[in-house]
Amino acid sequence: HAPRGAARVASLRPSNLVFCVRPLVPQAHARPARNRPQSDMVKVLDTKEAFDAAIKKSKKQLTVVDFTATWCGPCQQIAPVFERMAKEMSSVSFFKCDVDENEEAAEECQITAMPTFQLFSGGKCISEVQGADMKSLYSAIMDALEDEKDAASSSSKVSESKGADAK
């Protein structure tokens, strides 16, 4: 008999990760946009233009995009956790992109499974996590924040040394 929390821990192992594979649905049969409540912390990117603006924002701030679908069970299960992360990490921008409503953005980012989380910094995708694996997503975000912090401190050291050389 396994300890009480063993089943929950076992389900988080990478071999047990759950994700949905994107069906090949012709665009004519795509689902119409739905009016969903929008979170204060997680904005919905329902157009390619909104997606492009969010990526542009990543030049100033780490940006995480959750590529999701309404028909994807793991996506719906992980959504409240993603919302909680957005509330706890105010220095990071969090967005959702429904792959059926914003096919252009999903195709540009080569999304083949949901949920897929992509991290953007400096206008470029720097990391990707596939599946409902919040531990990996959290680690990827923390690593990216650490990299940004290291880059900022090394650039300030370079500018300080240039200032010292000028004297």
Side-chain angles (χ1 to χ4, degrees), residues 30-70:
R31 296 178 185 185
R34 293 179 179 82
N35 291 332
R36 267 188 241 122
Q38 188 159 311
S39 161
D40 289 338
M41 304 308 286
V42 179
K43 302 293 183 204
V44 176
L45 303 174
D46 53 359
T47 65
K48 178 69 166 74
E49 292 76 24
F51 175 80
D52 291 340
I55 301 313
K56 193 174 188 178
K57 183 177 183 177
S58 79
K59 292 184 179 186
K60 298 177 185 166
Q61 183 176 24
L62 180 64
T63 299
V64 181
V65 180
D66 172 10
F67 289 92
T68 186
T70 56

Short mmCIF file of all heavy atoms in Angstrom, two decimals, residues 30-70:
data_model
loop_
_atom_site.label_atom_id
_atom_site.label_comp_id
_atom_site.label_asym_id
_atom_site.label_seq_id
_atom_site.Cartn_x
_atom_site.Cartn_y
_atom_site.Cartn_z
N ALA A 30 -13.33 25.38 -38.03
CA ALA A 30 -12.81 25.89 -36.76
C ALA A 30 -13.96 26.44 -35.92
O ALA A 30 -14.94 26.95 -36.46
CB ALA A 30 -11.77 26.97 -37.00
N ARG A 31 -13.83 26.34 -34.64
CA ARG A 31 -14.87 26.83 -33.74
C ARG A 31 -14.90 28.35 -33.72
O ARG A 31 -13.87 28.99 -33.77
CB ARG A 31 -14.60 26.32 -32.33
CG ARG A 31 -14.67 24.84 -32.25
CD ARG A 31 -14.35 24.40 -30.85
NE ARG A 31 -14.29 22.95 -30.83
CZ ARG A 31 -14.13 22.24 -29.75
NH1 ARG A 31 -13.99 22.84 -28.61
NH2 ARG A 31 -14.09 20.94 -29.81
N PRO A 32 -16.10 28.92 -33.62
CA PRO A 32 -16.18 30.38 -33.54
C PRO A 32 -15.66 30.88 -32.20
O PRO A 32 -15.62 30.14 -31.22
CB PRO A 32 -17.70 30.65 -33.66
CG PRO A 32 -18.35 29.38 -33.23
CD PRO A 32 -17.40 28.28 -33.60
N ALA A 33 -15.25 32.13 -32.17
CA ALA A 33 -14.74 32.74 -30.94
C ALA A 33 -15.84 32.75 -29.89
O ALA A 33 -17.01 32.93 -30.20
CB ALA A 33 -14.27 34.16 -31.22
N ARG A 34 -15.45 32.54 -28.65
CA ARG A 34 -16.40 32.53 -27.55
C ARG A 34 -16.14 33.73 -26.64
O ARG A 34 -15.02 34.16 -26.50
CB ARG A 34 -16.23 31.25 -26.74
CG ARG A 34 -16.61 30.02 -27.50
CD ARG A 34 -16.39 28.81 -26.60
NE ARG A 34 -16.77 27.61 -27.28
CZ ARG A 34 -16.00 26.97 -28.15
NH1 ARG A 34 -14.82 27.42 -28.44
NH2 ARG A 34 -16.43 25.86 -28.72
N ASN A 35 -17.20 34.18 -26.03
CA ASN A 35 -17.04 35.25 -25.04
C ASN A 35 -16.73 34.59 -23.70
O ASN A 35 -17.59 33.98 -23.10
CB ASN A 35 -18.32 36.09 -24.93
CG ASN A 35 -18.54 36.90 -26.18
OD1 ASN A 35 -17.58 37.25 -26.85
ND2 ASN A 35 -19.79 37.18 -26.49
N ARG A 36 -15.48 34.69 -23.29
CA ARG A 36 -15.04 34.11 -22.03
C ARG A 36 -14.66 35.22 -21.09
O ARG A 36 -14.13 36.23 -21.53
CB ARG A 36 -13.79 33.25 -22.27
CG ARG A 36 -14.13 31.83 -22.50
CD ARG A 36 -12.84 31.03 -22.53
NE ARG A 36 -12.79 30.44 -23.84
CZ ARG A 36 -11.83 30.62 -24.71
NH1 ARG A 36 -10.80 31.34 -24.42
NH2 ARG A 36 -11.87 30.05 -25.88
N PRO A 37 -14.88 35.01 -19.80
CA PRO A 37 -14.41 36.04 -18.86
C PRO A 37 -12.90 36.13 -18.94
O PRO A 37 -12.21 35.13 -19.07
CB PRO A 37 -14.85 35.50 -17.50
CG PRO A 37 -15.20 34.06 -17.70
CD PRO A 37 -15.50 33.88 -19.15
N GLN A 38 -12.39 37.33 -18.91
CA GLN A 38 -10.95 37.56 -19.01
C GLN A 38 -10.41 37.93 -17.64
O GLN A 38 -10.95 38.77 -16.95
CB GLN A 38 -10.67 38.66 -20.04
CG GLN A 38 -9.20 38.81 -20.34
CD GLN A 38 -8.97 39.50 -21.65
OE1 GLN A 38 -9.56 39.14 -22.64
NE2 GLN A 38 -8.11 40.49 -21.67
N SER A 39 -9.33 37.29 -17.28
CA SER A 39 -8.69 37.53 -16.00
C SER A 39 -7.98 38.88 -16.01
O SER A 39 -7.56 39.36 -17.06
CB SER A 39 -7.69 36.41 -15.74
OG SER A 39 -6.77 36.79 -14.77
N ASP A 40 -7.82 39.45 -14.83
CA ASP A 40 -7.03 40.67 -14.71
C ASP A 40 -5.55 40.37 -14.91
O ASP A 40 -4.80 41.20 -15.38
CB ASP A 40 -7.23 41.32 -13.34
CG ASP A 40 -8.61 41.92 -13.18
OD1 ASP A 40 -9.24 42.21 -14.21
OD2 ASP A 40 -9.05 42.08 -12.03
N MET A 41 -5.13 39.17 -14.51
CA MET A 41 -3.73 38.82 -14.54
C MET A 41 -3.30 38.15 -15.85
O MET A 41 -2.18 38.30 -16.27
CB MET A 41 -3.41 37.88 -13.37
CG MET A 41 -3.77 38.44 -12.01
SD MET A 41 -3.11 40.07 -11.67
CE MET A 41 -1.42 39.68 -11.38
N VAL A 42 -4.19 37.37 -16.46
CA VAL A 42 -3.87 36.65 -17.68
C VAL A 42 -4.76 37.17 -18.80
O VAL A 42 -5.97 36.99 -18.78
CB VAL A 42 -4.08 35.12 -17.52
CG1 VAL A 42 -3.77 34.40 -18.81
CG2 VAL A 42 -3.24 34.58 -16.38
N LYS A 43 -4.15 37.84 -19.76
CA LYS A 43 -4.90 38.41 -20.88
C LYS A 43 -5.00 37.38 -22.00
O LYS A 43 -4.08 36.60 -22.23
CB LYS A 43 -4.21 39.67 -21.41
CG LYS A 43 -4.03 40.74 -20.37
CD LYS A 43 -5.35 41.32 -19.92
CE LYS A 43 -5.12 42.44 -18.93
NZ LYS A 43 -6.23 42.68 -18.07
N VAL A 44 -6.12 37.42 -22.72
CA VAL A 44 -6.35 36.51 -23.84
C VAL A 44 -5.87 37.17 -25.13
O VAL A 44 -6.23 38.31 -25.42
CB VAL A 44 -7.84 36.12 -23.94
CG1 VAL A 44 -8.09 35.26 -25.16
CG2 VAL A 44 -8.29 35.41 -22.68
N LEU A 45 -5.07 36.43 -25.89
CA LEU A 45 -4.57 36.93 -27.18
C LEU A 45 -5.45 36.31 -28.26
O LEU A 45 -5.17 35.22 -28.76
CB LEU A 45 -3.11 36.51 -27.36
CG LEU A 45 -2.16 36.96 -26.26
CD1 LEU A 45 -0.77 36.37 -26.47
CD2 LEU A 45 -2.09 38.47 -26.20
N ASP A 46 -6.51 37.02 -28.63
CA ASP A 46 -7.47 36.45 -29.57
C ASP A 46 -7.22 36.81 -31.03
O ASP A 46 -7.90 36.31 -31.91
CB ASP A 46 -8.90 36.80 -29.16
CG ASP A 46 -9.11 38.29 -28.96
OD1 ASP A 46 -8.13 39.06 -29.11
OD2 ASP A 46 -10.24 38.69 -28.63
N THR A 47 -6.23 37.66 -31.29
CA THR A 47 -5.88 38.00 -32.67
C THR A 47 -4.36 37.93 -32.84
O THR A 47 -3.62 38.00 -31.86
CB THR A 47 -6.33 39.43 -33.04
OG1 THR A 47 -5.59 40.36 -32.23
CG2 THR A 47 -7.83 39.63 -32.85
N LYS A 48 -3.93 37.82 -34.07
CA LYS A 48 -2.50 37.80 -34.37
C LYS A 48 -1.87 39.13 -33.95
O LYS A 48 -0.74 39.17 -33.45
CB LYS A 48 -2.29 37.54 -35.87
CG LYS A 48 -0.84 37.55 -36.31
CD LYS A 48 -0.07 36.36 -35.78
CE LYS A 48 1.25 36.17 -36.46
NZ LYS A 48 2.30 37.08 -36.12
N GLU A 49 -2.60 40.22 -34.13
CA GLU A 49 -2.09 41.54 -33.75
C GLU A 49 -1.87 41.62 -32.23
O GLU A 49 -0.87 42.17 -31.77
CB GLU A 49 -3.06 42.64 -34.20
CG GLU A 49 -3.15 42.82 -35.70
CD GLU A 49 -3.98 41.73 -36.40
OE1 GLU A 49 -4.85 41.10 -35.76
OE2 GLU A 49 -3.73 41.50 -37.60
N ALA A 50 -2.80 41.07 -31.45
CA ALA A 50 -2.65 41.06 -30.00
C ALA A 50 -1.45 40.20 -29.60
O ALA A 50 -0.68 40.57 -28.71
CB ALA A 50 -3.92 40.53 -29.33
N PHE A 51 -1.25 39.08 -30.29
CA PHE A 51 -0.10 38.22 -30.03
C PHE A 51 1.19 38.96 -30.32
O PHE A 51 2.12 38.97 -29.51
CB PHE A 51 -0.20 36.94 -30.86
CG PHE A 51 1.00 36.05 -30.74
CD1 PHE A 51 1.16 35.22 -29.64
CD2 PHE A 51 1.98 36.06 -31.71
CE1 PHE A 51 2.27 34.42 -29.51
CE2 PHE A 51 3.10 35.26 -31.60
CZ PHE A 51 3.24 34.43 -30.50
N ASP A 52 1.26 39.62 -31.48
CA ASP A 52 2.46 40.37 -31.86
C ASP A 52 2.77 41.47 -30.84
O ASP A 52 3.94 41.69 -30.50
CB ASP A 52 2.30 40.97 -33.25
CG ASP A 52 2.30 39.91 -34.35
OD1 ASP A 52 2.77 38.78 -34.10
OD2 ASP A 52 1.81 40.22 -35.46
N ALA A 53 1.74 42.14 -30.33
CA ALA A 53 1.94 43.20 -29.33
C ALA A 53 2.49 42.61 -28.02
O ALA A 53 3.37 43.20 -27.38
CB ALA A 53 0.63 43.93 -29.06
N ALA A 54 2.01 41.43 -27.65
CA ALA A 54 2.50 40.78 -26.42
C ALA A 54 3.97 40.39 -26.57
O ALA A 54 4.76 40.55 -25.64
CB ALA A 54 1.66 39.54 -26.11
N ILE A 55 4.33 39.90 -27.74
CA ILE A 55 5.72 39.51 -27.98
C ILE A 55 6.61 40.75 -27.98
O ILE A 55 7.72 40.73 -27.47
CB ILE A 55 5.87 38.71 -29.30
CG1 ILE A 55 5.00 37.45 -29.23
CG2 ILE A 55 7.32 38.37 -29.58
CD1 ILE A 55 5.11 36.64 -27.97
N LYS A 56 6.11 41.83 -28.54
CA LYS A 56 6.86 43.09 -28.53
C LYS A 56 7.10 43.55 -27.09
O LYS A 56 8.18 44.04 -26.77
CB LYS A 56 6.08 44.15 -29.31
CG LYS A 56 6.85 45.38 -29.64
CD LYS A 56 6.04 46.29 -30.54
CE LYS A 56 6.88 47.43 -31.04
NZ LYS A 56 6.14 48.30 -31.94
N LYS A 57 6.11 43.33 -26.22
CA LYS A 57 6.23 43.69 -24.80
C LYS A 57 7.35 42.89 -24.13
O LYS A 57 7.96 43.34 -23.17
CB LYS A 57 4.90 43.43 -24.09
CG LYS A 57 4.88 43.84 -22.65
CD LYS A 57 3.50 43.62 -22.05
CE LYS A 57 3.48 44.12 -20.62
NZ LYS A 57 2.16 44.01 -20.01
N SER A 58 7.64 41.70 -24.68
CA SER A 58 8.67 40.84 -24.07
C SER A 58 10.06 41.45 -24.19
O SER A 58 11.00 40.97 -23.58
CB SER A 58 8.65 39.44 -24.70
OG SER A 58 9.30 39.42 -25.95
N LYS A 59 10.19 42.51 -24.98
CA LYS A 59 11.49 43.19 -25.06
C LYS A 59 11.80 43.90 -23.75
O LYS A 59 12.94 44.16 -23.44
CB LYS A 59 11.52 44.15 -26.24
CG LYS A 59 11.49 43.41 -27.57
CD LYS A 59 11.60 44.33 -28.75
CE LYS A 59 11.58 43.47 -30.02
NZ LYS A 59 11.81 44.22 -31.21
N LYS A 60 10.73 44.20 -22.98
CA LYS A 60 10.89 44.89 -21.71
C LYS A 60 10.66 43.99 -20.51
O LYS A 60 11.12 44.29 -19.42
CB LYS A 60 9.91 46.07 -21.64
CG LYS A 60 10.12 47.12 -22.69
CD LYS A 60 9.08 48.20 -22.60
CE LYS A 60 9.22 49.18 -23.74
NZ LYS A 60 8.06 50.04 -23.88
N GLN A 61 9.90 42.91 -20.71
CA GLN A 61 9.49 42.08 -19.57
C GLN A 61 9.32 40.63 -20.03
O GLN A 61 8.81 40.39 -21.13
CB GLN A 61 8.16 42.61 -19.04
CG GLN A 61 7.62 41.92 -17.82
CD GLN A 61 6.34 42.57 -17.32
OE1 GLN A 61 5.63 43.23 -18.06
NE2 GLN A 61 6.06 42.40 -16.04
N LEU A 62 9.74 39.67 -19.21
CA LEU A 62 9.54 38.26 -19.53
C LEU A 62 8.05 38.01 -19.76
O LEU A 62 7.22 38.48 -18.99
CB LEU A 62 10.05 37.38 -18.39
CG LEU A 62 9.91 35.87 -18.61
CD1 LEU A 62 10.76 35.40 -19.79
CD2 LEU A 62 10.31 35.12 -17.35
N THR A 63 7.75 37.30 -20.83
CA THR A 63 6.37 37.04 -21.23
C THR A 63 6.15 35.54 -21.38
O THR A 63 6.95 34.87 -22.03
CB THR A 63 6.06 37.76 -22.56
OG1 THR A 63 6.24 39.17 -22.36
CG2 THR A 63 4.65 37.50 -23.03
N VAL A 64 5.06 35.03 -20.78
CA VAL A 64 4.71 33.61 -20.88
C VAL A 64 3.37 33.50 -21.59
O VAL A 64 2.40 34.15 -21.20
CB VAL A 64 4.61 32.96 -19.49
CG1 VAL A 64 4.28 31.47 -19.62
CG2 VAL A 64 5.89 33.16 -18.70
N VAL A 65 3.33 32.68 -22.65
CA VAL A 65 2.09 32.46 -23.39
C VAL A 65 1.67 31.01 -23.23
O VAL A 65 2.45 30.09 -23.50
CB VAL A 65 2.25 32.80 -24.89
CG1 VAL A 65 0.95 32.55 -25.64
CG2 VAL A 65 2.70 34.25 -25.07
N ASP A 66 0.44 30.81 -22.78
CA ASP A 66 -0.17 29.49 -22.64
C ASP A 66 -1.00 29.23 -23.88
O ASP A 66 -2.03 29.86 -24.08
CB ASP A 66 -1.05 29.47 -21.38
CG ASP A 66 -1.88 28.20 -21.24
OD1 ASP A 66 -1.67 27.24 -21.99
OD2 ASP A 66 -2.76 28.20 -20.35
N PHE A 67 -0.52 28.32 -24.75
CA PHE A 67 -1.30 27.93 -25.92
C PHE A 67 -2.24 26.82 -25.47
O PHE A 67 -1.81 25.76 -25.02
CB PHE A 67 -0.38 27.46 -27.05
CG PHE A 67 0.39 28.58 -27.66
CD1 PHE A 67 1.64 28.93 -27.20
CD2 PHE A 67 -0.17 29.32 -28.70
CE1 PHE A 67 2.34 29.99 -27.76
CE2 PHE A 67 0.53 30.38 -29.27
CZ PHE A 67 1.79 30.71 -28.80
N THR A 68 -3.52 27.09 -25.56
CA THR A 68 -4.55 26.25 -24.96
C THR A 68 -5.68 25.99 -25.94
O THR A 68 -5.69 26.54 -27.04
CB THR A 68 -5.07 26.93 -23.68
OG1 THR A 68 -5.96 26.05 -23.01
CG2 THR A 68 -5.76 28.25 -23.98
N ALA A 69 -6.63 25.15 -25.55
CA ALA A 69 -7.83 24.89 -26.35
C ALA A 69 -8.97 24.56 -25.39
O ALA A 69 -8.75 23.94 -24.34
CB ALA A 69 -7.60 23.74 -27.31
N THR A 70 -10.17 24.95 -25.75
CA THR A 70 -11.33 24.72 -24.89
C THR A 70 -11.64 23.23 -24.76
O THR A 70 -12.15 22.80 -23.74
CB THR A 70 -12.57 25.45 -25.41
OG1 THR A 70 -12.81 25.05 -26.76
CG2 THR A 70 -12.39 26.95 -25.34
#
